[in-house]
Amino acid sequence: GITVVVGLIAYSGLSSVVNSTEATETHAKRLHSINRAFMFVSRDIRQLVARPIRDEFDEIRPALIGGELAPFPLSLTRSGWNNSVGSPRSELQRVRYYLEDDALWREAWLALDRSSNSVSHRTKLLSDVEEFSVQFLDGQAQFDADSLSTDSWLDNWAIEPASESVGLPNAIAINLQIVAWGNVRRIYDL
């Protein structure tokens, strides 16, 4: 009888350790996937360059466009696209981020100025995302601790066709509403 009682206690303790380990591992994997998604976003934003593009419809688009009223929450031109094999292409790249089917996606093109048959490459960065929004700190506002309040941020950037020559903001805030994690906000000082 004593052996059975000791066995049940040991099994109960071992079971809770195994459950805790599994929960911790699941949590760590999810945290890794969130950090991986923000790594892509961070790398692109930190390499933002003021180079407008021509889209598939031969319309000039600003180097950075985004927000609630834009076709996509975030579209930008970035530098630093490694060309290690020496392909005849630019080291600049056009990328955009958007939410589709509760997932955050990154889309990139081989050429900045696209034609109607330009091919893009899509990458699913993060699943279980309920909302994705971007805010911009106006280029005339100073980025400091006071600008962390949402009152000084703009919900849209360069959405008017006439604003193709608009400059870049001082900072960009990325907001993700993630299932079981809540709101995750990252601010990038440009």
Side-chain angles (χ1 to χ4, degrees):
I2 293 174
T3 305
V4 170
V5 171
V6 170
L8 286 174
I9 291 172
Y11 177 75
S12 173
L14 181 62
S15 176
S16 84
V17 168
V18 168
N19 289 342
S20 294
T21 303
E22 288 175 356
T24 301
E25 189 174 314
T26 302
H27 186 76
K29 284 180 181 178
R30 184 65 173 158
L31 183 59
H32 175 73
S33 66
I34 292 170
N35 283 334
R36 179 182 169 273
F38 274 112
M39 178 198 67
F40 274 93
V41 174
S42 176
R43 184 178 57 202
D44 288 343
I45 289 176
R46 294 198 187 285
Q47 295 182 16
L48 173 66
V49 294
R51 169 34 166 102
I53 64 150
R54 286 196 177 274
D55 66 9
E56 300 86 356
F57 307 107
D58 203 33
E59 302 267 336
I60 295 177
R61 297 289 175 211
L64 173 68
I65 184 171
E68 296 173 345
L69 301 177
F72 295 93
L74 183 63
S75 299
L76 59 96
T77 304
R78 66 171 292 240
S79 66
W81 186 24
N82 190 14
N83 192 0
S84 59
V85 295
S87 298
R89 65 164 174 81
S90 172
E91 290 190 3
L92 300 178
Q93 184 180 40
R94 187 66 171 193
V95 298
R96 70 177 167 209
Y97 291 89
Y98 58 94
L99 195 63
E100 182 179 285
D101 298 327
D102 293 331
L104 178 64
W105 289 85
R106 178 186 187 266
E107 188 170 15
W109 287 265
L110 295 176
L112 282 179
D113 299 320
R114 301 187 298 262
S115 64
S116 60
N117 59 355
S118 293
V119 178
S120 67
H121 175 72
R122 291 175 16 128
T123 306
K124 183 178 181 180
L125 297 179
L126 187 62
S127 58
D128 296 327
V129 179
E130 296 174 327
E131 290 181 32
F132 169 49
S133 64
V134 183
Q135 293 178 307
F136 307 90
L137 186 64
D138 189 355
Q140 297 177 7
Q142 292 298 318
F143 182 73
D144 56 23
D146 295 332
S147 62
L148 295 179
S149 76
T150 56
D151 298 341
S152 57
W153 292 83
L154 303 173
D155 291 328
N156 296 289
W157 191 263
I159 58 166
E160 299 291 326
S163 64
E164 60 200 36
S165 63
V166 72
L168 299 176
N170 277 348
I172 297 176
I174 303 293
N175 302 296
L176 292 177
Q177 186 72 30
I178 303 171
V179 173
W181 282 72
N183 188 44
V184 178
R185 178 178 171 96
R186 295 265 174 103
I187 299 174
Y188 300 95
D189 180 12
L190 300 180

Short mmCIF file of all heavy atoms in Angstrom, two decimals, residues 134-186:
data_model
loop_
_atom_site.label_atom_id
_atom_site.label_comp_id
_atom_site.label_asym_id
_atom_site.label_seq_id
_atom_site.Cartn_x
_atom_site.Cartn_y
_atom_site.Cartn_z
N VAL A 134 -0.20 50.23 -38.16
CA VAL A 134 1.06 50.97 -38.20
C VAL A 134 0.74 52.43 -37.94
O VAL A 134 -0.26 52.96 -38.42
CB VAL A 134 1.75 50.81 -39.58
CG1 VAL A 134 3.08 51.52 -39.59
CG2 VAL A 134 1.91 49.35 -39.94
N GLN A 135 1.59 53.09 -37.15
CA GLN A 135 1.46 54.52 -36.90
C GLN A 135 2.79 55.19 -37.19
O GLN A 135 3.85 54.55 -37.13
CB GLN A 135 1.05 54.77 -35.45
CG GLN A 135 -0.36 54.28 -35.14
CD GLN A 135 -0.69 54.50 -33.68
OE1 GLN A 135 0.04 54.09 -32.81
NE2 GLN A 135 -1.82 55.15 -33.45
N PHE A 136 2.73 56.49 -37.48
CA PHE A 136 3.90 57.22 -37.92
C PHE A 136 4.04 58.51 -37.11
O PHE A 136 3.07 59.22 -36.91
CB PHE A 136 3.76 57.57 -39.40
CG PHE A 136 3.44 56.37 -40.25
CD1 PHE A 136 2.12 56.00 -40.50
CD2 PHE A 136 4.46 55.60 -40.79
CE1 PHE A 136 1.83 54.89 -41.27
CE2 PHE A 136 4.17 54.48 -41.56
CZ PHE A 136 2.85 54.13 -41.79
N LEU A 137 5.26 58.79 -36.68
CA LEU A 137 5.55 60.04 -35.99
C LEU A 137 6.03 61.03 -37.04
O LEU A 137 7.04 60.77 -37.72
CB LEU A 137 6.61 59.84 -34.90
CG LEU A 137 6.88 61.05 -34.02
CD1 LEU A 137 5.64 61.41 -33.21
CD2 LEU A 137 8.04 60.76 -33.08
N ASP A 138 5.31 62.12 -37.21
CA ASP A 138 5.58 63.12 -38.23
C ASP A 138 7.05 63.53 -38.22
O ASP A 138 7.67 63.65 -37.17
CB ASP A 138 4.68 64.33 -38.01
CG ASP A 138 4.75 65.32 -39.15
OD1 ASP A 138 5.56 65.15 -40.08
OD2 ASP A 138 3.98 66.28 -39.13
N GLY A 139 7.58 63.76 -39.42
CA GLY A 139 8.98 64.14 -39.56
C GLY A 139 9.33 65.44 -38.87
O GLY A 139 10.50 65.71 -38.61
N GLN A 140 8.33 66.27 -38.53
CA GLN A 140 8.61 67.53 -37.84
C GLN A 140 8.53 67.37 -36.33
O GLN A 140 8.96 68.25 -35.60
CB GLN A 140 7.62 68.59 -38.32
CG GLN A 140 7.80 68.87 -39.79
CD GLN A 140 6.77 69.86 -40.31
OE1 GLN A 140 6.01 70.43 -39.55
NE2 GLN A 140 6.76 70.05 -41.61
N ALA A 141 7.99 66.26 -35.86
CA ALA A 141 7.92 66.01 -34.41
C ALA A 141 9.22 65.35 -33.96
O ALA A 141 9.84 64.61 -34.69
CB ALA A 141 6.73 65.11 -34.09
N GLN A 142 9.62 65.65 -32.76
CA GLN A 142 10.83 65.05 -32.20
C GLN A 142 10.49 63.74 -31.50
O GLN A 142 9.48 63.64 -30.81
CB GLN A 142 11.49 66.01 -31.20
CG GLN A 142 12.07 67.24 -31.85
CD GLN A 142 13.17 66.90 -32.83
OE1 GLN A 142 14.00 66.05 -32.58
NE2 GLN A 142 13.16 67.56 -33.98
N PHE A 143 11.32 62.74 -31.68
CA PHE A 143 11.12 61.45 -31.03
C PHE A 143 11.77 61.49 -29.66
O PHE A 143 12.98 61.61 -29.54
CB PHE A 143 11.71 60.32 -31.87
CG PHE A 143 11.47 58.96 -31.27
CD1 PHE A 143 10.22 58.40 -31.31
CD2 PHE A 143 12.48 58.27 -30.66
CE1 PHE A 143 9.97 57.16 -30.76
CE2 PHE A 143 12.26 57.02 -30.11
CZ PHE A 143 11.00 56.48 -30.16
N ASP A 144 10.96 61.42 -28.62
CA ASP A 144 11.46 61.37 -27.25
C ASP A 144 10.44 60.62 -26.40
O ASP A 144 9.48 60.07 -26.92
CB ASP A 144 11.73 62.77 -26.70
CG ASP A 144 10.50 63.68 -26.78
OD1 ASP A 144 9.36 63.16 -26.83
OD2 ASP A 144 10.66 64.90 -26.78
N ALA A 145 10.63 60.61 -25.11
CA ALA A 145 9.73 59.86 -24.22
C ALA A 145 8.29 60.37 -24.32
O ALA A 145 7.34 59.60 -24.18
CB ALA A 145 10.23 59.93 -22.79
N ASP A 146 8.11 61.68 -24.57
CA ASP A 146 6.75 62.22 -24.68
C ASP A 146 6.03 61.74 -25.93
O ASP A 146 4.81 61.67 -25.97
CB ASP A 146 6.79 63.76 -24.69
CG ASP A 146 7.30 64.31 -23.38
OD1 ASP A 146 7.10 63.63 -22.34
OD2 ASP A 146 7.89 65.41 -23.39
N SER A 147 6.78 61.40 -26.97
CA SER A 147 6.15 60.98 -28.22
C SER A 147 5.70 59.52 -28.18
O SER A 147 5.16 59.01 -29.14
CB SER A 147 7.10 61.20 -29.40
OG SER A 147 8.26 60.42 -29.23
N LEU A 148 5.92 58.85 -27.05
CA LEU A 148 5.46 57.48 -26.93
C LEU A 148 3.95 57.41 -26.72
O LEU A 148 3.35 56.37 -26.91
CB LEU A 148 6.19 56.77 -25.78
CG LEU A 148 7.69 56.59 -26.00
CD1 LEU A 148 8.30 55.91 -24.80
CD2 LEU A 148 7.97 55.80 -27.24
N SER A 149 3.32 58.52 -26.32
CA SER A 149 1.87 58.52 -26.22
C SER A 149 1.29 58.48 -27.62
O SER A 149 1.87 59.00 -28.57
CB SER A 149 1.38 59.76 -25.48
OG SER A 149 1.44 60.89 -26.32
N THR A 150 0.13 57.87 -27.76
CA THR A 150 -0.45 57.70 -29.09
C THR A 150 -1.06 58.98 -29.65
O THR A 150 -1.44 59.01 -30.81
CB THR A 150 -1.53 56.60 -29.05
OG1 THR A 150 -2.50 56.94 -28.05
CG2 THR A 150 -0.91 55.25 -28.74
N ASP A 151 -1.12 60.05 -28.85
CA ASP A 151 -1.71 61.31 -29.32
C ASP A 151 -0.89 61.96 -30.42
O ASP A 151 -1.43 62.65 -31.28
CB ASP A 151 -1.86 62.30 -28.16
CG ASP A 151 -2.80 61.78 -27.08
OD1 ASP A 151 -3.59 60.85 -27.39
OD2 ASP A 151 -2.74 62.27 -25.95
N SER A 152 0.42 61.80 -30.40
CA SER A 152 1.28 62.49 -31.35
C SER A 152 1.58 61.66 -32.60
O SER A 152 2.36 62.07 -33.44
CB SER A 152 2.59 62.89 -30.66
OG SER A 152 3.21 61.75 -30.12
N TRP A 153 0.93 60.52 -32.76
CA TRP A 153 1.19 59.65 -33.89
C TRP A 153 0.12 59.80 -34.96
O TRP A 153 -1.05 60.00 -34.65
CB TRP A 153 1.24 58.19 -33.44
CG TRP A 153 2.43 57.90 -32.57
CD1 TRP A 153 2.54 58.12 -31.24
CD2 TRP A 153 3.67 57.36 -32.98
NE1 TRP A 153 3.77 57.75 -30.80
CE2 TRP A 153 4.49 57.26 -31.85
CE3 TRP A 153 4.17 56.92 -34.20
CZ2 TRP A 153 5.78 56.76 -31.89
CZ3 TRP A 153 5.46 56.42 -34.26
CH2 TRP A 153 6.26 56.34 -33.11
N LEU A 154 0.52 59.66 -36.23
CA LEU A 154 -0.40 59.70 -37.36
C LEU A 154 -0.80 58.28 -37.75
O LEU A 154 0.03 57.38 -37.72
CB LEU A 154 0.25 60.38 -38.57
CG LEU A 154 0.79 61.80 -38.35
CD1 LEU A 154 1.56 62.26 -39.58
CD2 LEU A 154 -0.35 62.74 -38.04
N ASP A 155 -2.06 58.09 -38.13
CA ASP A 155 -2.53 56.77 -38.52
C ASP A 155 -2.26 56.44 -39.98
O ASP A 155 -2.42 55.30 -40.40
CB ASP A 155 -4.03 56.64 -38.25
CG ASP A 155 -4.34 56.63 -36.76
OD1 ASP A 155 -3.50 56.12 -35.99
OD2 ASP A 155 -5.41 57.12 -36.37
N ASN A 156 -1.84 57.44 -40.77
CA ASN A 156 -1.58 57.24 -42.20
C ASN A 156 -0.34 58.00 -42.62
O ASN A 156 -0.03 59.04 -42.05
CB ASN A 156 -2.78 57.72 -43.03
CG ASN A 156 -4.01 56.91 -42.73
OD1 ASN A 156 -4.09 55.75 -43.10
ND2 ASN A 156 -4.97 57.50 -42.02
N TRP A 157 0.32 57.49 -43.66
CA TRP A 157 1.50 58.17 -44.18
C TRP A 157 1.50 58.07 -45.70
O TRP A 157 1.43 56.99 -46.27
CB TRP A 157 2.78 57.53 -43.64
CG TRP A 157 3.98 58.36 -43.93
CD1 TRP A 157 4.85 58.19 -44.97
CD2 TRP A 157 4.43 59.49 -43.21
NE1 TRP A 157 5.81 59.16 -44.93
CE2 TRP A 157 5.58 59.98 -43.86
CE3 TRP A 157 3.96 60.17 -42.09
CZ2 TRP A 157 6.28 61.09 -43.41
CZ3 TRP A 157 4.65 61.28 -41.65
CH2 TRP A 157 5.80 61.72 -42.30
N ALA A 158 1.55 59.23 -46.36
CA ALA A 158 1.73 59.34 -47.81
C ALA A 158 0.68 58.57 -48.59
O ALA A 158 1.01 57.84 -49.52
CB ALA A 158 3.13 58.89 -48.21
N ILE A 159 -0.60 58.72 -48.24
CA ILE A 159 -1.62 57.97 -48.97
C ILE A 159 -2.17 58.72 -50.17
O ILE A 159 -2.81 58.14 -51.01
CB ILE A 159 -2.79 57.58 -48.04
CG1 ILE A 159 -3.41 58.82 -47.41
CG2 ILE A 159 -2.34 56.60 -47.00
CD1 ILE A 159 -4.74 58.56 -46.77
N GLU A 160 -1.90 60.01 -50.26
CA GLU A 160 -2.39 60.80 -51.39
C GLU A 160 -1.44 60.62 -52.58
O GLU A 160 -0.23 60.61 -52.41
CB GLU A 160 -2.43 62.28 -51.03
CG GLU A 160 -3.36 62.59 -49.88
CD GLU A 160 -4.81 62.40 -50.25
OE1 GLU A 160 -5.17 62.64 -51.41
OE2 GLU A 160 -5.58 61.99 -49.38
N PRO A 161 -1.97 60.48 -53.80
CA PRO A 161 -1.09 60.38 -54.97
C PRO A 161 -0.16 61.58 -55.11
O PRO A 161 0.96 61.44 -55.55
CB PRO A 161 -2.05 60.30 -56.15
CG PRO A 161 -3.33 59.81 -55.57
CD PRO A 161 -3.37 60.32 -54.16
N ALA A 162 -0.63 62.75 -54.69
CA ALA A 162 0.20 63.96 -54.81
C ALA A 162 1.33 63.97 -53.78
O ALA A 162 2.21 64.81 -53.85
CB ALA A 162 -0.68 65.20 -54.63
N SER A 163 1.33 63.05 -52.83
CA SER A 163 2.33 63.09 -51.77
C SER A 163 3.50 62.15 -52.04
O SER A 163 4.18 61.73 -51.14
CB SER A 163 1.69 62.72 -50.44
OG SER A 163 1.22 61.40 -50.48
N GLU A 164 3.76 61.85 -53.32
CA GLU A 164 4.83 60.91 -53.64
C GLU A 164 6.20 61.42 -53.24
O GLU A 164 7.13 60.65 -53.09
CB GLU A 164 4.80 60.57 -55.13
CG GLU A 164 4.99 61.79 -56.01
CD GLU A 164 4.50 61.58 -57.41
OE1 GLU A 164 3.50 60.90 -57.60
OE2 GLU A 164 5.15 62.11 -58.32
N SER A 165 6.37 62.73 -53.06
CA SER A 165 7.67 63.27 -52.68
C SER A 165 7.75 63.56 -51.19
O SER A 165 8.67 64.20 -50.74
CB SER A 165 7.95 64.55 -53.48
OG SER A 165 6.97 65.52 -53.15
N VAL A 166 6.78 63.08 -50.42
CA VAL A 166 6.78 63.33 -48.98
C VAL A 166 8.00 62.66 -48.35
O VAL A 166 8.48 61.62 -48.82
CB VAL A 166 5.46 62.83 -48.35
CG1 VAL A 166 5.41 61.32 -48.30
CG2 VAL A 166 5.28 63.42 -46.96
N GLY A 167 8.52 63.27 -47.30
CA GLY A 167 9.69 62.72 -46.62
C GLY A 167 9.34 61.50 -45.78
O GLY A 167 8.26 60.91 -45.90
N LEU A 168 10.26 61.14 -44.93
CA LEU A 168 10.07 59.98 -44.06
C LEU A 168 9.71 60.44 -42.65
O LEU A 168 10.12 61.51 -42.22
CB LEU A 168 11.34 59.14 -44.04
CG LEU A 168 11.80 58.58 -45.38
CD1 LEU A 168 13.13 57.86 -45.23
CD2 LEU A 168 10.75 57.67 -45.97
N PRO A 169 8.99 59.62 -41.91
CA PRO A 169 8.66 59.99 -40.53
C PRO A 169 9.88 59.85 -39.63
O PRO A 169 10.90 59.26 -40.02
CB PRO A 169 7.57 58.98 -40.16
CG PRO A 169 7.86 57.79 -41.01
CD PRO A 169 8.41 58.34 -42.29
N ASN A 170 9.77 60.39 -38.41
CA ASN A 170 10.86 60.24 -37.44
C ASN A 170 10.83 58.88 -36.76
O ASN A 170 11.86 58.41 -36.27
CB ASN A 170 10.79 61.33 -36.37
CG ASN A 170 11.44 62.61 -36.85
OD1 ASN A 170 12.12 62.64 -37.86
ND2 ASN A 170 11.21 63.68 -36.12
N ALA A 171 9.66 58.27 -36.72
CA ALA A 171 9.54 56.96 -36.08
C ALA A 171 8.33 56.22 -36.65
O ALA A 171 7.40 56.85 -37.17
CB ALA A 171 9.40 57.09 -34.57
N ILE A 172 8.36 54.90 -36.55
CA ILE A 172 7.25 54.05 -36.97
C ILE A 172 6.91 53.13 -35.82
O ILE A 172 7.81 52.55 -35.20
CB ILE A 172 7.63 53.21 -38.22
CG1 ILE A 172 7.92 54.13 -39.40
CG2 ILE A 172 6.51 52.23 -38.57
CD1 ILE A 172 8.41 53.40 -40.65
N ALA A 173 5.62 53.00 -35.53
CA ALA A 173 5.15 52.09 -34.48
C ALA A 173 4.36 50.96 -35.13
O ALA A 173 3.46 51.20 -35.93
CB ALA A 173 4.28 52.82 -33.48
N ILE A 174 4.72 49.74 -34.79
CA ILE A 174 4.03 48.54 -35.29
C ILE A 174 3.21 47.98 -34.14
O ILE A 174 3.74 47.74 -33.05
CB ILE A 174 5.04 47.48 -35.79
CG1 ILE A 174 5.96 48.05 -36.87
CG2 ILE A 174 4.32 46.22 -36.25
CD1 ILE A 174 5.26 48.40 -38.16
N ASN A 175 1.92 47.76 -34.38
CA ASN A 175 1.03 47.21 -33.36
C ASN A 175 0.44 45.90 -33.87
O ASN A 175 -0.18 45.87 -34.93
CB ASN A 175 -0.12 48.19 -33.06
CG ASN A 175 0.38 49.53 -32.59
OD1 ASN A 175 0.99 49.63 -31.55
ND2 ASN A 175 0.14 50.56 -33.39
N LEU A 176 0.63 44.84 -33.11
CA LEU A 176 0.05 43.54 -33.44
C LEU A 176 -0.82 43.09 -32.27
O LEU A 176 -0.38 43.11 -31.13
CB LEU A 176 1.14 42.48 -33.66
CG LEU A 176 2.02 42.62 -34.89
CD1 LEU A 176 3.07 41.52 -34.90
CD2 LEU A 176 1.20 42.56 -36.15
N GLN A 177 -2.04 42.72 -32.58
CA GLN A 177 -2.94 42.11 -31.59
C GLN A 177 -2.86 40.61 -31.84
O GLN A 177 -3.35 40.10 -32.83
CB GLN A 177 -4.38 42.62 -31.77
CG GLN A 177 -5.34 42.15 -30.72
CD GLN A 177 -5.11 42.82 -29.38
OE1 GLN A 177 -4.65 43.95 -29.30
NE2 GLN A 177 -5.41 42.12 -28.32
N ILE A 178 -2.20 39.90 -30.91
CA ILE A 178 -1.91 38.48 -31.08
C ILE A 178 -2.78 37.66 -30.14
O ILE A 178 -2.90 37.99 -28.95
CB ILE A 178 -0.41 38.21 -30.82
CG1 ILE A 178 0.44 39.07 -31.75
CG2 ILE A 178 -0.08 36.74 -30.99
CD1 ILE A 178 1.92 39.05 -31.45
N VAL A 179 -3.36 36.59 -30.67
CA VAL A 179 -4.22 35.71 -29.88
C VAL A 179 -3.43 35.19 -28.68
O VAL A 179 -2.29 34.74 -28.82
CB VAL A 179 -4.73 34.53 -30.74
CG1 VAL A 179 -5.48 33.53 -29.89
CG2 VAL A 179 -5.61 35.05 -31.87
N ALA A 180 -4.02 35.27 -27.50
CA ALA A 180 -3.46 34.80 -26.23
C ALA A 180 -2.25 35.60 -25.75
O ALA A 180 -1.66 35.26 -24.74
CB ALA A 180 -3.12 33.31 -26.29
N TRP A 181 -1.87 36.64 -26.47
CA TRP A 181 -0.75 37.48 -26.05
C TRP A 181 -1.17 38.93 -25.85
O TRP A 181 -0.49 39.68 -25.17
CB TRP A 181 0.38 37.43 -27.08
CG TRP A 181 1.19 36.18 -26.98
CD1 TRP A 181 0.80 34.93 -27.34
CD2 TRP A 181 2.50 36.05 -26.46
NE1 TRP A 181 1.80 34.03 -27.10
CE2 TRP A 181 2.87 34.69 -26.56
CE3 TRP A 181 3.42 36.94 -25.93
CZ2 TRP A 181 4.10 34.22 -26.14
CZ3 TRP A 181 4.65 36.46 -25.53
CH2 TRP A 181 4.98 35.11 -25.63
N GLY A 182 -2.23 39.34 -26.52
CA GLY A 182 -2.66 40.73 -26.43
C GLY A 182 -1.93 41.61 -27.42
O GLY A 182 -1.42 41.15 -28.44
N ASN A 183 -1.85 42.90 -27.09
CA ASN A 183 -1.24 43.86 -28.00
C ASN A 183 0.27 43.91 -27.78
O ASN A 183 0.74 44.05 -26.66
CB ASN A 183 -1.84 45.26 -27.77
CG ASN A 183 -1.38 46.25 -28.81
OD1 ASN A 183 -1.35 45.94 -29.99
ND2 ASN A 183 -1.02 47.44 -28.37
N VAL A 184 1.01 43.79 -28.89
CA VAL A 184 2.46 43.91 -28.86
C VAL A 184 2.80 45.11 -29.74
O VAL A 184 2.41 45.18 -30.90
CB VAL A 184 3.15 42.64 -29.39
CG1 VAL A 184 4.66 42.81 -29.39
CG2 VAL A 184 2.74 41.42 -28.57
N ARG A 185 3.53 46.08 -29.17
CA ARG A 185 3.85 47.32 -29.89
C ARG A 185 5.37 47.48 -29.90
O ARG A 185 6.02 47.38 -28.87
CB ARG A 185 3.20 48.51 -29.18
CG ARG A 185 3.49 49.86 -29.80
CD ARG A 185 2.73 50.95 -29.03
NE ARG A 185 3.09 52.27 -29.41
CZ ARG A 185 2.45 53.02 -30.28
NH1 ARG A 185 1.38 52.53 -30.87
NH2 ARG A 185 2.84 54.23 -30.55
N ARG A 186 5.90 47.74 -31.08
CA ARG A 186 7.33 48.04 -31.23
C ARG A 186 7.45 49.38 -31.92
O ARG A 186 6.75 49.67 -32.89
CB ARG A 186 8.03 46.98 -32.08
CG ARG A 186 8.05 45.61 -31.46
CD ARG A 186 9.34 45.36 -30.70
NE ARG A 186 9.30 44.10 -29.99
CZ ARG A 186 9.91 43.00 -30.38
NH1 ARG A 186 10.61 42.98 -31.47
NH2 ARG A 186 9.84 41.90 -29.64
#
